[in-house]
Amino acid sequence: MLRSSGGSRDDEGMRRLRDSLLNQIADALRPAVAAAVERGQLRSDVTPETYVMATAGPLFFERFLAGIRLGRDTVDAVVVDAAMRGWS
């Protein structure tokens, strides 16, 4: 089991950075998510924040932690298959 001894999770600067990144990405996607909800492509309870966490999280993991170069197929699989189909 991993134990936290503080570190970046408890660091105020890192918390602000995480919040800022999440807000910037969510704000950029807000019109698209709202339009998809309005068209019935996404459920009404999907928010830009939850959409970002469901899509950006796996993509960040693959790119920056696993070192996998993201191609169109990978992005489509995460964004379309996982998020859109899961919440439609």
Side-chain angles (χ1 to χ4, degrees):
M1 179 187 322
L2 294 175
R3 295 177 144 198
S4 173
S5 60
S8 65
R9 187 183 71 168
D10 298 326
D11 181 81
E12 181 63 22
M14 286 302 294
R15 185 196 61 75
R16 283 194 308 265
L17 177 61
R18 284 190 310 266
D19 289 350
S20 175
L21 288 172
L22 174 60
N23 289 332
Q24 287 177 45
I25 297 168
D27 287 346
L29 289 176
R30 199 169 305 285
V33 171
V37 168
E38 191 173 304
R39 288 190 303 267
Q41 294 173 304
L42 291 173
R43 295 187 327 234
S44 62
D45 63 334
V46 176
T47 67
E49 292 78 13
T50 56
Y51 191 81
V52 167
M53 288 185 275
T55 56
L59 295 174
F60 275 102
F61 180 88
E62 286 197 36
R63 180 64 187 113
F64 297 110
L65 297 177
I68 298 169
R69 186 176 183 102
L70 298 177
R72 184 177 195 97
D73 291 341
T74 302
V75 174
D76 283 350
V78 170
V79 174
V80 176
D81 295 340
M84 293 296 286
R85 288 191 183 136
W87 285 333
S88 58

